[in-house]
Short mmCIF file of all heavy atoms in Angstrom, two decimals:
data_model
loop_
_atom_site.label_atom_id
_atom_site.label_comp_id
_atom_site.label_asym_id
_atom_site.label_seq_id
_atom_site.Cartn_x
_atom_site.Cartn_y
_atom_site.Cartn_z
N LEU B 79 -20.91 -43.57 -47.14
CA LEU B 79 -19.80 -43.48 -48.01
C LEU B 79 -19.21 -44.93 -48.36
O LEU B 79 -19.06 -45.25 -49.45
CB LEU B 79 -18.65 -42.62 -47.45
CG LEU B 79 -17.35 -42.54 -48.18
CD1 LEU B 79 -17.47 -41.91 -49.57
CD2 LEU B 79 -16.30 -41.85 -47.34
N LEU B 80 -19.12 -45.74 -47.29
CA LEU B 80 -18.68 -47.06 -47.42
C LEU B 80 -19.62 -47.87 -48.38
O LEU B 80 -19.21 -48.64 -49.13
CB LEU B 80 -18.45 -47.75 -46.07
CG LEU B 80 -16.98 -47.82 -45.70
CD1 LEU B 80 -16.54 -46.37 -45.52
CD2 LEU B 80 -16.85 -48.70 -44.37
N ASP B 81 -21.03 -47.70 -48.08
CA ASP B 81 -21.89 -48.29 -49.04
C ASP B 81 -21.77 -47.86 -50.46
O ASP B 81 -21.76 -48.66 -51.39
CB ASP B 81 -23.42 -47.88 -48.59
CG ASP B 81 -23.82 -48.59 -47.27
OD1 ASP B 81 -23.12 -49.51 -46.83
OD2 ASP B 81 -24.76 -48.15 -46.58
N GLU B 82 -21.66 -46.60 -50.60
CA GLU B 82 -21.39 -46.00 -51.98
C GLU B 82 -20.25 -46.65 -52.66
O GLU B 82 -20.24 -46.94 -53.86
CB GLU B 82 -21.23 -44.44 -51.90
CG GLU B 82 -20.68 -43.85 -53.03
CD GLU B 82 -21.62 -43.56 -54.20
OE1 GLU B 82 -22.84 -43.82 -53.97
OE2 GLU B 82 -21.14 -43.20 -55.26
N LEU B 83 -19.21 -46.88 -51.89
CA LEU B 83 -17.93 -47.40 -52.50
C LEU B 83 -18.08 -48.98 -52.61
O LEU B 83 -17.28 -49.55 -53.29
CB LEU B 83 -16.71 -47.12 -51.59
CG LEU B 83 -16.36 -45.65 -51.39
CD1 LEU B 83 -15.50 -45.40 -50.22
CD2 LEU B 83 -15.58 -45.11 -52.66
N GLY B 84 -19.06 -49.55 -51.99
CA GLY B 84 -19.13 -50.96 -51.96
C GLY B 84 -18.11 -51.77 -51.16
O GLY B 84 -17.78 -52.79 -51.35
N TRP B 85 -17.56 -50.95 -50.20
CA TRP B 85 -16.56 -51.50 -49.22
C TRP B 85 -17.23 -52.11 -48.00
O TRP B 85 -17.87 -51.29 -47.25
CB TRP B 85 -15.54 -50.41 -48.84
CG TRP B 85 -14.67 -49.98 -49.96
CD1 TRP B 85 -14.56 -50.59 -51.16
CD2 TRP B 85 -13.72 -49.02 -49.93
NE1 TRP B 85 -13.58 -49.91 -51.94
CE2 TRP B 85 -13.05 -48.84 -51.16
CE3 TRP B 85 -13.33 -48.00 -48.90
CZ2 TRP B 85 -12.07 -47.96 -51.46
CZ3 TRP B 85 -12.36 -47.04 -49.26
CH2 TRP B 85 -11.68 -47.01 -50.49
N GLU B 86 -17.03 -53.35 -47.72
CA GLU B 86 -17.56 -53.86 -46.51
C GLU B 86 -16.89 -53.36 -45.31
O GLU B 86 -17.49 -52.99 -44.29
CB GLU B 86 -17.53 -55.43 -46.57
CG GLU B 86 -18.38 -56.07 -45.65
CD GLU B 86 -19.81 -55.69 -45.71
OE1 GLU B 86 -20.36 -55.59 -46.86
OE2 GLU B 86 -20.36 -55.43 -44.59
N THR B 87 -15.60 -53.31 -45.39
CA THR B 87 -14.68 -52.73 -44.33
C THR B 87 -13.67 -51.85 -44.84
O THR B 87 -13.35 -51.82 -46.04
CB THR B 87 -13.98 -53.81 -43.50
OG1 THR B 87 -13.07 -54.48 -44.46
CG2 THR B 87 -14.97 -54.95 -43.08
N ALA B 88 -13.06 -50.97 -44.00
CA ALA B 88 -12.10 -50.13 -44.46
C ALA B 88 -11.20 -49.89 -43.23
O ALA B 88 -11.58 -49.89 -42.05
CB ALA B 88 -12.61 -48.86 -45.08
N ASN B 89 -9.91 -49.35 -43.48
CA ASN B 89 -9.12 -48.84 -42.53
C ASN B 89 -9.51 -47.31 -42.47
O ASN B 89 -9.70 -46.69 -43.52
CB ASN B 89 -7.67 -48.92 -42.93
CG ASN B 89 -7.13 -50.31 -43.16
OD1 ASN B 89 -6.96 -50.97 -42.05
ND2 ASN B 89 -7.14 -50.78 -44.31
N ILE B 90 -9.65 -46.81 -41.33
CA ILE B 90 -10.09 -45.45 -41.19
C ILE B 90 -9.07 -44.57 -40.38
O ILE B 90 -8.80 -44.93 -39.23
CB ILE B 90 -11.52 -45.32 -40.52
CG1 ILE B 90 -12.47 -46.06 -41.36
CG2 ILE B 90 -11.91 -43.91 -40.30
CD1 ILE B 90 -13.93 -45.93 -41.02
N MET B 91 -8.72 -43.47 -41.02
CA MET B 91 -7.81 -42.49 -40.23
C MET B 91 -8.64 -41.21 -40.10
O MET B 91 -8.98 -40.66 -41.13
CB MET B 91 -6.51 -42.34 -41.01
CG MET B 91 -5.56 -41.43 -40.19
SD MET B 91 -5.85 -39.63 -40.29
CE MET B 91 -5.05 -39.39 -41.87
N GLY B 92 -8.63 -40.68 -38.97
CA GLY B 92 -9.23 -39.40 -38.68
C GLY B 92 -8.37 -38.49 -38.00
O GLY B 92 -7.79 -38.96 -36.90
#
Side-chain angles (χ1 to χ4, degrees):
Chain B
L79 173 66
L80 262 64
D81 288 345
E82 164 77 10
L83 295 162
W85 290 352
E86 196 53 46
T87 66
N89 300 281
I90 299 190
M91 185 279 279

